[in-house]
Amino acid sequence: MKLITRHSYLERIISLRSVPDIKILTGIRRSGKSKLMDAFVDWLKENEPDSNIIFIDFNNPAYDELRTYKKLYDYVEAHHKGDSKNYLLIDEVQDCDGFERAINGLHASEKYDIYVTGSNAFLLSSDLATLFTGRTFEIMIYPFSFKESQQYFELQNTQEAFDRYVKEGGMAGSYVYSENQDKYNYIASVFKVLITRDIQQKYKIRNKGLLLKLADFLMDNISNLTSATNISETLTKLKQPTNNKIISRYIEYLRNAFLFYQTRRFDIRGKMYLETQEKYYLADHSFRYALLGTRNMDFGRVYENIVAIELRRRGYEIYVGKLYQKEIDFVAMKRDEKIYIQVSDNITEDKTFKREVEPLLKIRDAYPKVIIARTRHEEYQYEGIRIMDLATWLLVSDV
């Protein structure tokens, strides 16, 4: 399989060397966590040749004997070198029974710079403080961005490359297949394992049918405001009886597996977060095509999903903006930075352009305002609002 260097992630991991926290790579299955660990090992070998690298890959049967915490602990201690900088890297750490006891003991010794990856079912953000007694630093890994996809396929025409990315998404494991149906079969298989291993088995779910119906509903309704109550009522009408408490719990499981990301609402005028209704976005839009098919392509929703995940990649917290009765697709925040963003498929018609621009014009503060659409043109401005082509925006980093 062809590999590319995921520079932004690798540079972030490199920058954390010697930080005493336990570094944990998290993200949806097959998003590239193991490959990043391999890339970091290669970087260490080239740039710190005198360091001692203890690398344990539980995907490799050679390490099967280390699947209990005591054997893992003893193995690492036996390979420690007192006169070197010791790096400990463990891939798929959850395959070791009681792994947290070994990691906590090794971390407490202050002899190792520790990095781990694992199934998201066992390394949930909400569980890290309970699992590990030392401080942890979580590095979220997403599927390939458009920029990475274009680099992988070595495509020079930005618009053609974007058309391909819209159809194929960023699950890089699917890139080795030449036929779209084979690509989608691969992505569907990732979804199946995620549902079965990361959710059904971990949470001992008996009603797998309801879980699948819920996932289908959320995929079909990406970018739509919804609530657990609305979803439970809809599924009940479709002869899948349930209630809002069960739906809320199952949504949490899907989020824990990093299949969906929740986006809450933010009242721009009142400057407060709203508790009712939210949007859900897929970790990668290709899951929607692989599971639901491509006959009824809704490019507007898919584009919004792509922008939502890209903003997260860039470190923004994102919210759905509410201003009176109008909606802003994204209020993106990062420290003191705030950006208002509208996403659209096509703004060539006056009616569509007016619909997208009016909510932004009503915002009275001085934070940047952007419309991201499939213009295929250079950036321009309208009354202080930046109008940017979607494919071009995905390749820049200043917004």
Side-chain angles (χ1 to χ4, degrees):
M1 179 180 176
K2 178 181 176 180
L3 297 176
I4 66 168
T5 301
R6 305 187 74 182
H7 292 286
S8 60
Y9 289 122
L10 183 58
E11 289 170 5
R12 190 175 187 193
I13 296 170
I14 291 169
S15 72
L16 294 170
R17 293 182 343 279
S18 300
V19 171
D21 301 354
I22 302 167
K23 275 73 72 173
I24 301 173
L25 278 62
T26 60
I28 193 170
R29 279 184 176 273
R30 302 297 179 183
S31 58
K33 301 185 291 294
S34 297
K35 296 300 182 184
L36 276 167
M37 190 77 91
D38 292 342
F40 182 47
V41 169
D42 291 341
W43 187 92
L44 289 173
K45 289 178 178 178
E46 181 177 350
N47 293 275
E48 297 187 15
D50 296 329
S51 63
N52 180 38
I53 303 170
I54 306 170
F55 182 33
I56 298 167
D57 180 5
F58 280 114
N59 287 308
N60 189 336
Y63 297 99
D64 280 352
E65 293 184 357
L66 306 182
R67 292 179 183 271
T68 63
Y69 78 89
K70 188 64 169 64
K71 290 185 177 180
L72 173 61
Y73 181 89
D74 291 344
Y75 175 89
V76 174
E77 285 284 78
H79 287 77
H80 177 268
K81 292 183 179 180
D83 57 349
S84 300
K85 173 68 184 291
N86 287 266
Y87 288 95
L88 173 59
L89 303 97
I90 306 177
D91 195 13
E92 297 297 335
V93 69
Q94 82 284 344
D95 286 344
C96 172
D97 186 28
F99 66 87
E100 66 275 11
R101 298 184 67 178
I103 299 298
N104 285 332
L106 294 165
H107 181 257
S109 72
E110 300 184 355
K111 297 188 297 186
Y112 304 94
D113 193 358
I114 301 175
Y115 303 77
V116 301
T117 77
S119 166
N120 32 53
F122 295 87
L123 291 178
L124 302 176
S125 302
S126 57
D127 293 344
L128 295 182
T130 303
L131 281 173
F132 301 113
T133 55
R135 289 184 56 184
T136 59
F137 189 95
E138 188 176 6
I139 305 169
M140 179 63 68
I141 309 299
Y142 294 94
F144 271 25
S145 66
F146 170 51
K147 182 184 291 187
E148 290 171 324
S149 172
Q150 186 178 26
Q151 180 185 349
Y152 179 94
F153 290 112
E154 300 179 358
L155 300 175
Q156 300 302 315
N157 187 300
T158 296
Q159 299 302 331
E160 290 179 3
F162 181 71
D163 285 337
R164 181 168 189 162
Y165 183 69
V166 168
K167 294 177 182 177
E168 298 184 7
M171 299 299 289
S174 70
Y175 290 176
V176 298
Y177 301 98
S178 58
E179 299 295 329
N180 273 345
Q181 189 54 52
D182 293 330
K183 295 175 187 290
Y184 291 144
N185 287 342
Y186 167 85
I187 295 165
S189 71
V190 174
F191 173 85
K192 182 178 179 180
V193 173
L194 182 151
I195 290 292
T196 301
R197 291 190 58 189
D198 288 355
I199 301 179
Q200 187 183 12
Q201 292 179 7
K202 175 179 173 63
Y203 299 107
K204 299 178 173 60
I205 292 176
R206 296 180 181 178
N207 194 346
K208 184 179 179 181
L210 175 60
L211 180 64
L212 291 171
K213 286 287 187 184
L214 172 61
D216 284 353
F217 179 91
L218 292 177
M219 279 189 262
D220 198 31
N221 286 274
I222 54 173
S223 85
N224 281 346
L225 285 170
T226 190
S227 68
T229 299
N230 292 340
I231 296 171
S232 64
E233 290 175 352
T234 300
L235 293 181
T236 298
K237 290 177 182 177
L238 296 174
K239 298 183 179 181
Q240 188 71 58
T242 184
N243 60 62
N244 63 320
K245 291 184 179 179
I246 294 175
I247 293 300
S248 293
R249 189 164 69 246
Y250 281 16
I251 287 176
E252 182 180 1
Y253 298 159
L254 291 166
R255 292 174 58 208
N256 287 345
F258 300 108
L259 180 61
F260 290 97
Y261 291 90
Q262 183 189 68
T263 303
R264 296 165 55 200
R265 291 198 302 157
F266 179 77
D267 188 324
I268 296 171
R269 185 167 178 265
K271 297 181 180 180
M272 59 186 294
Y273 303 106
L274 302 173
E275 297 298 328
T276 58
Q277 297 193 313
E278 51 274 321
K279 290 185 178 184
Y280 293 92
Y281 296 101
L282 273 164
D284 190 78
H285 56 282
S286 62
F287 283 103
R288 189 171 191 258
Y289 300 151
L291 275 300
L292 302 184
T294 60
R295 287 180 301 175
N296 298 316
M297 298 278 282
D298 188 331
F299 288 105
R301 290 186 186 181
V302 173
Y303 293 167
E304 191 173 322
N305 199 110
I306 290 172
V307 171
I309 300 303
E310 181 63 25
L311 287 168
R312 287 183 173 276
R313 279 194 195 92
R314 299 180 185 186
Y316 288 97
E317 294 180 13
I318 60 174
Y319 302 90
V320 181
K322 176 183 177 297
L323 184 63
Y324 304 106
Q325 301 303 312
K326 299 290 185 179
E327 180 183 300
I328 310 296
D329 289 333
F330 298 112
V331 181
M333 303 182 189
K334 182 163 56 176
R335 294 180 289 277
D336 295 332
E337 186 180 357
K338 184 188 295 183
I339 308 169
Y340 301 106
I341 298 172
Q342 294 281 65
V343 182
S344 182
D345 176 6
N346 189 334
I347 55 172
T348 56
E349 294 184 4
D350 290 341
K351 181 180 179 181
T352 305
F353 182 79
K354 183 178 180 181
R355 184 189 69 218
E356 299 295 344
V357 78
E358 276 191 347
L360 295 176
L361 292 173
K362 291 182 181 298
I363 301 173
R364 298 307 178 191
D365 63 41
Y367 289 109
K369 302 166 184 66
V370 186
I371 293 178
I372 301 172
R374 198 74 199 278
T375 68
R376 296 177 174 83
H377 298 298
E378 293 184 1
E379 176 184 338
Y380 64 98
Q381 291 206 4
Y382 176 85
E383 295 192 19
I385 298 171
R386 298 176 68 182
I387 315 295
M388 301 186 69
D389 174 65
L390 174 54
T392 303
W393 176 82
L394 290 167
L395 299 178
V396 301
S397 59
D398 65 334
V399 174

